[in-house]
Structures are given as C-alpha cells and as structure tokens.
Amino acid sequence: MALYEISPAQGSSAKLARPVELVCFALVIANAVYLAASYFEGFWLVAPNGAAIQSDFVNVWAAGRLALAGHAAAAYDWPTHKLMEETAIGHAFEGYFGWHYPPTFLFVAAILSLLPYAPAYALWAFGTFPGYLVAVRAIIGDRVGYLLAAAFPAVLPNFIVGQNGFLTAGLVGGALVLLERRPIAAGMLLGLLTYKPHLGLLFPIALMAGGYWRTFFTAALVAVLVAAASWLAFGSEAWQAFFANIGHTSQAFLSEGWADWSKLQTAFGLTRTLGGSETLAWTIQAAVSLAAAAAVAILWRSNAAYEIKAAALGVGALLATPYLYMYDVVVLAVPMAFLLRLGDARGFLPKEMAWIGIACGLMLAFPFVKAPVGFAALLLVAALLARRLFAPASVTA
C-alpha cells in the first residue's frame, strides 16, 4: 500500500491515499470539534461562571509569575507554588500541578505569565503547535505532512492540558531533519531540548556513535550558555532548589504514584500498573533503557538508512525514560514520519501500514483504556523498525 498517490498531471505533487486521507481529516475535525465544544460548554480554559479552569499549564504560569517577582526558587517550593497556581485561576482547587523543570525553562514561563492565565494558555498551546507541524512536514517532505501531524492521536492531550509535547517534538524532529545538512543548527535545537533533560539522554550516545561532533559540541555549548543565562537571571538558589526537588518529585510520582501508574507510558508504569513492586519496576525499566541505548549506539555506528537511525533514536529516547505521559508521546510522530518517508521511498512492507494504524489506535484508546497503551505503541513502532532493518530489500508491498 502506498502512502502517497502521484498524479502524472501533478508532476511531483503528492497526496495521501484516500483511506489515509479520510481518517486523518476525521481525526483533525474530531479534535477541533471536541476543543470547541469543551470551550463553549465550560470544560476547557474557562468555566461557565467565567473562572479559569486549572490544568497542567497552571504550573508554568505560576512558576513564571514567581520568577518575575524575583522568587524563582519558590517555584520549587510546593506550598508556595500551589498558592500562586490558585492566584492564576482565581480560586482554590484540590490537587497540585508541580513545577519540575530546570530554571532554563523559567524564561519561557516568565514571558507567558505576563499575560492572564487563559490567554497565556492559548498562546502556549497554539503557538507551539506550528513548530511541531513544520518539523513533521519537513521529515515527510511534502505538505501532506501537516495533515498527518495534525491528525496524530497524541495531539489532543497537549491541547487539553496545555503541555509542552509540541515544543519537544518540534525540537527533536527539527534536530533530526537538520542533522546531516546543518549540524550546527541541529545542535542548537538539541541544546534547547535540555529544558526536558530526561528525554534527551540518548542523543549524546547517537551523536558520538555517528561521529556528529559539531552537533555534539554545539548542543553542549548551547546547553551551558542557556544554563548560565538562567543562573544570572534567576540566581543560584533556583538551581539549588531544582536539584533538591528532583528527589521529591521522584518520590511523589515514581514511588507513591500521585498521578496514577496507568498514566505513565513506560516500562516502569506498566510494571506498577500490573501490581509489580517498585524494585521490579526499576529493574525492568533499567533493562529497557540499556537495551534502547545499546540499539541506538549500534545503529548509529552502522550503515543503516538515516531514516531508521533517526526513527530508532526518537523511539529509544521515549523508551529510555521512566517518566513519560501521553502528551509526551506526541514525539512518536517524529519516528513514525521517518518510517513513512522510508516506506514511501522504498515501498512499504506487507501489513506495515496496518501496524502503524494499530499503533495510532492504541494511543486513541487512552484515556478510555486506563493502561500504558502509549508504551505499547512505542514497542510496536520499535518492532516495525527492527523488521524494516532486517527485511530483505525485495520484500515490499
């Protein structure tokens, strides 16, 4: 099955195969209708009484406002930060949305907090979305990439809670697109990705294994410069508070399960969801992380197609962390786009498109199915990459 159909009259202009196109349009429309209905019914952004509705984004706004007030370190003090979150939406609420990011991300938070909460939320969600779309379109190599990216199942969770998956996916996708032709620019994007350090653990391994030293040193330099700038802007106390907060965060979310184990789309989360102990969960997660790191190192030293290397790095980065939610799984659109690009260039393997559809269906099942279905989708895409790597060149559909 071809992903694209090319009309002789159109030359090189490609369009999606009709079934894929229809499904993508249906998903995009469904997402848009859901967001609009949620807004007008008072379930998203603003309640019927005009009060703001708390969501994950409130932790960003509150941290930014504390930073602007000269109290950046207080963003890592949970009681103080919670009070600022209640200030953001204008009323008290149960629960807490923690700020777990390094002080480098306070620059973004501070800028957003200059606006009232609801407009800042909308600016953040809709402002980071285009970067993600552009990255996937650049990978696919055709404007149909915009539709494929917009229809990706993990898009909606980012809009619903105001998370940063679009920014992460844009940085990862952009870096992998630019790596071979513009290594310095790719390094700059990877340096900025350090705002979410647990998702960038395998990138240094891939860059060193592949000999991309200009990208490696550029990323390191950008990371150091951004960290130094945040130290000058927000003080050493903010960095001290960040490192002190890591253990607190791990205890709350990985040991005590404050956010529900089934929401963690990782080997760790799956083990805990099935009733496994914390020790067993860490053991299995360590094995998965080491396997992902080894696979990335071997692939990036090999002569495998760049699409396979890039896709494996994207999937491996998600598999290697114990802390991953469905909004983060939007990054999986990047390795999927590379897999589709390779299939379109060389031909798809038998049932390959069907298995890609199943992976998307697993993500769509969340939150109706309270289980790490996103982790299952990651494993499925990893299996498709392994199959593609070892399949004879003549075996295509």
Side-chain angles (χ1 to χ4, degrees):
M1 175 183 178
L3 175 64
Y4 304 138
E5 296 171 344
I6 300 179
S7 168
Q10 293 173 319
S12 61
S13 178
K15 70 174 184 176
L16 291 173
R18 190 60 175 172
V20 180
E21 183 181 45
L22 291 175
V23 171
C24 288
F25 272 120
L27 288 173
V28 171
I29 292 172
N31 287 346
V33 169
Y34 180 86
L35 287 176
S38 297
Y39 175 77
F40 288 110
E41 291 295 321
F43 300 125
W44 182 57
L45 284 182
V46 181
N49 62 2
I53 298 176
Q54 70 271 17
S55 71
D56 289 13
F57 177 75
V58 73
N59 82 77
V60 178
W61 192 96
R65 185 52 62 94
L66 287 169
L68 287 178
H71 306 294
Y76 301 97
D77 179 70
W78 291 16
T80 304
H81 187 239
K82 171 64 184 299
L83 289 175
M84 185 57 72
E85 290 181 338
E86 293 178 345
T87 299
I89 62 173
H91 59 83
F93 62 89
E94 294 183 2
Y96 172 62
F97 300 91
W99 172 261
H100 314 303
Y101 304 99
T104 52
F105 199 41
L106 285 172
F107 287 116
V108 175
I111 293 172
L112 291 170
S113 69
L114 293 172
L115 297 174
Y117 171 72
Y121 184 131
L123 175 63
W124 172 246
F126 290 100
T128 54
F129 187 51
Y132 155 72
L133 295 179
V134 169
V136 174
R137 186 259 181 245
I139 296 169
I140 295 293
D142 190 272
R143 61 179 179 272
V144 297
Y146 294 130
L147 178 60
L148 291 169
F152 195 68
V155 162
L156 187 59
N158 281 275
F159 280 113
I160 291 175
V161 298
Q163 266 292 348
N164 47 45
F166 298 144
L167 176 61
T168 305
L171 292 173
V172 171
L176 291 174
V177 165
L178 295 171
L179 183 57
E180 292 196 300
R181 289 182 295 178
R182 299 183 63 186
I184 302 299
M188 294 174 67
L189 295 181
L190 290 178
L192 296 176
L193 183 61
T194 54
Y195 91 94
K196 209 156 187 176
H198 63 289
L199 293 183
L201 297 177
L202 299 191
F203 282 87
I205 295 175
L207 296 177
M208 289 188 290
Y212 294 92
W213 294 108
R214 284 193 294 171
T215 303
F216 179 90
F217 288 117
T218 300
L221 178 61
V222 170
V224 170
L225 290 176
V226 173
S230 67
W231 180 79
L232 291 173
F234 307 118
S236 60
E237 296 83 2
W239 277 99
Q240 293 170 2
F242 165 67
F243 286 115
N245 187 54
I246 292 176
H248 194 186
T249 299
S250 178
Q251 177 68 26
F253 294 96
L254 297 179
S255 296
E256 300 175 8
W258 281 23
D260 188 344
W261 302 123
S262 64
K263 293 182 179 180
L264 284 173
Q265 307 299 316
T266 61
F268 184 96
L270 176 61
T271 305
R272 297 293 300 206
T273 299
L274 295 176
S277 67
E278 183 179 358
T279 300
L280 178 61
W282 277 117
T283 301
I284 294 176
Q285 180 63 57
V288 171
S289 301
L290 289 174
V296 165
I298 292 170
L299 270 176
W300 280 71
R301 284 184 62 86
S302 73
N303 294 322
Y306 181 75
E307 289 84 356
I308 291 179
K309 293 180 180 181
L313 178 54
V315 174
L318 298 178
L319 288 172
T321 176
Y323 191 78
L324 191 81
Y325 290 97
M326 186 55 75
Y327 52 78
D328 294 311
V329 181
V330 74
V331 177
L332 186 59
V334 171
M336 276 193 173
F338 277 109
L339 190 59
L340 292 173
R341 185 172 91 178
L342 186 63
D344 188 59
R346 299 186 179 181
F348 288 93
L349 299 177
K351 307 296 184 183
E352 190 171 27
M353 285 295 292
W355 285 112
I356 291 174
I358 291 172
C360 291
L362 286 169
M363 289 179 276
L364 281 173
F366 187 86
F368 307 105
V369 177
K370 291 187 175 181
V373 289
F375 177 64
L378 291 175
L379 292 178
L380 181 51
V381 174
L384 291 175
L385 287 170
R387 181 188 181 213
R388 169 65 68 170
L389 180 64
F390 296 110
S394 60
V395 182
T396 56

